[in-house]
Amino acid sequence: MWAGERHFRRDVTVETGSGTENAETHDGRRQKRPGDLQMKMRPGEVLIDCLDSIEDTKGNNGDRGRLLVTNLRIIWHSIALPRVNLAVGYNCIINITTRTANSKLRGQTEALYILTKCNNTRFEFIFTNVVPGSPRLFTSVIAVHRAYETSKMYRDLKLRGALIQNKQLRLLPKEQVYDKINGVWNLSSDQRSIKIRDSKFGLALVIESSQQSGGYVLGFKIDPVEKLQDSVKEINSLHRVYSASPIFGVDYEMEEKPQALEELTVEQVQDDVEIEADDHTDAFTAYFADGNKQQDREPVFSEELGLAIEKLKDGFTLQGLWDVMG
């Protein structure tokens, strides 16, 4: 598990001219940050592919943009207005399919549909390649997401897994063993940092995991105390080194190397306008997907419409929905 993963959970970021509607980090979970989207990659994140002439068909139909595919997320931004952008972390993706969509730039054409889930709310993103006859949009995103899904052992906490084979630890690719400590007792706990804590067994090595990984407290008894202290120092040192350049396990390379993300990032120019802040979630509403709900929500009386309607999901307003339809 890498250090930055502790502030992940939500995985969808949508930014408009008024700033970010939701603040997220790279493969997904929440982090407070300034209004502009964090285009700069975090340690361990690498750019795998860059596709020009990609349309965000659901939220910005008719707007030509660029799609960046990294080992943790996909990023789309408008070519004309780079401040109009979005980022989707692979951790929130439920399903990726290809279906026909109605593009203002291509008409009826095959598009990439990405269904995501964030805080029990589903969002749908549709991307269309404006250049006809190119399957690269589908192959890149689907292949990298598959590589992410099949490498979770690099990023998740695993209990009772098949880690030992023929009495030997099964190492992951690029994983190395730095030390072996014998005589360690595993202390079960019903109770997240690496430190020494007193227990009914005496001083013990305690490793606390993030809430996203289950909020486990793992305890290990190491004797003598000098050996325990040396082990804690070594583990903390290795954790710091790893956090500076983590390995996420998403191993995928394109035949044609893309430019560095810094070369593709467009500096945002401050518009000479004043943007009024409001409480509407219009940017998110454009990507709202509720087609797979299990049952209708309770009916409520709408004073605005003068009739009974299905109760809106939290964070959505009638005016916001009308704005999207318009």
Side-chain angles (χ1 to χ4, degrees):
M1 172 174 291
W2 59 284
E5 201 164 15
R6 62 176 175 268
H7 48 238
F8 281 1
R9 190 68 269 161
R10 294 192 195 170
D11 302 277
V12 181
T13 302
V14 178
E15 184 169 310
T16 63
S18 60
T20 306
E21 296 288 347
N22 188 20
E24 306 305 322
T25 55
H26 298 32
D27 88 324
R29 302 156 186 151
R30 183 174 56 190
Q31 173 186 339
K32 295 180 180 179
R33 66 156 190 256
D36 59 310
L37 182 65
Q38 286 186 340
M39 299 287 283
K40 184 178 180 180
M41 293 187 292
R42 58 145 294 132
E45 184 177 17
V46 295
L47 180 63
I48 296 176
D49 199 5
C50 174
L51 298 96
D52 289 318
S53 300
I54 302 297
E55 176 192 69
D56 170 24
T57 304
K58 188 160 187 177
N60 295 280
N61 203 334
D63 193 356
R64 188 184 299 262
R66 172 181 290 138
L67 189 74
L68 307 174
V69 182
T70 81
N71 57 333
L72 299 178
R73 56 179 172 158
I74 58 174
I75 306 166
W76 180 91
H77 71 84
S78 167
I79 298 296
L81 294 172
R83 71 171 182 268
V84 178
N85 50 55
L86 62 90
V88 180
Y90 300 135
N91 191 61
C92 74
I93 293 178
I94 300 174
N95 187 34
I96 301 180
T97 58
T98 57
R99 299 204 305 268
T100 300
N102 187 17
S103 164
K104 289 183 179 180
L105 299 178
R106 284 284 308 278
Q108 288 286 335
T109 185
E110 191 175 23
L112 186 71
Y113 281 69
I114 301 178
L115 181 64
T116 67
K117 189 174 183 179
C118 169
N119 286 349
N120 296 320
T121 301
R122 297 192 178 205
F123 298 93
E124 183 181 55
F125 300 87
I126 305 174
F127 298 105
T128 302
N129 196 335
V130 179
V131 180
S134 174
R136 187 168 156 189
L137 168 64
F138 312 119
T139 56
S140 290
V141 175
I142 292 175
V144 175
H145 176 253
R146 185 182 298 115
Y148 180 89
E149 286 292 296
T150 56
S151 59
K152 287 187 175 181
M153 281 292 292
Y154 285 86
R155 305 178 301 275
D156 289 349
L157 190 154
K158 184 73 172 178
L159 298 178
R160 300 178 180 86
L163 303 178
I164 306 297
Q165 186 176 37
N166 297 327
K167 298 182 179 180
Q168 295 293 324
L169 176 65
R170 299 171 59 186
L171 295 177
L172 297 170
K174 299 181 181 180
E175 185 178 15
Q176 301 177 45
V177 175
Y178 284 88
D179 196 4
K180 292 183 180 180
I181 305 172
N182 296 319
V184 178
W185 291 75
N186 184 7
L187 310 178
S188 60
S189 174
D190 56 0
Q191 308 200 36
R192 302 162 237 270
S193 69
I194 302 170
K195 54 189 173 184
I196 298 174
R197 180 186 296 177
D198 199 7
S199 71
K200 62 181 179 181
F201 301 98
L203 289 178
L205 165 65
V206 176
I207 300 178
E208 300 178 342
S209 75
S210 66
Q211 288 293 341
Q212 287 73 34
S213 64
Y216 293 99
V217 176
L218 309 177
F220 302 94
K221 176 68 173 175
I222 303 176
D223 288 324
V225 174
E226 293 75 14
K227 187 177 181 180
L228 169 63
Q229 294 172 340
D230 290 342
S231 300
V232 171
K233 290 179 181 179
E234 182 178 30
I235 295 173
N236 273 316
S237 177
L238 289 171
H239 183 256
R240 285 192 297 270
V241 172
Y242 174 80
S243 299
S245 182
I247 299 172
F248 296 112
V250 184
D251 193 8
Y252 186 85
E253 291 187 5
M254 300 292 299
E255 293 183 3
E256 182 181 346
K257 295 288 186 181
Q259 293 176 265
L261 184 58
E262 290 74 14
E263 300 176 16
L264 298 169
T265 303
V266 180
E267 184 177 353
Q268 298 191 18
V269 180
Q270 184 67 38
D271 293 336
D272 188 21
V273 295
E274 182 178 350
I275 300 174
E276 295 182 0
D278 57 48
D279 296 327
H280 293 171
T281 55
D282 298 343
F284 272 132
T285 305
Y287 303 94
F288 182 57
D290 202 20
N292 295 318
K293 65 180 181 181
Q294 300 299 317
Q295 60 184 16
D296 291 338
R297 290 180 288 276
E298 62 180 288
V300 295
F301 179 75
S302 170
E303 296 183 358
E304 185 176 350
L305 298 177
L307 47 81
I309 64 171
E310 183 179 3
K311 184 178 179 180
L312 298 177
K313 291 183 71 69
D314 293 340
F316 293 91
T317 65
L318 282 176
Q319 184 60 47
L321 295 175
W322 284 119
D323 291 342
V324 172
M325 294 297 294

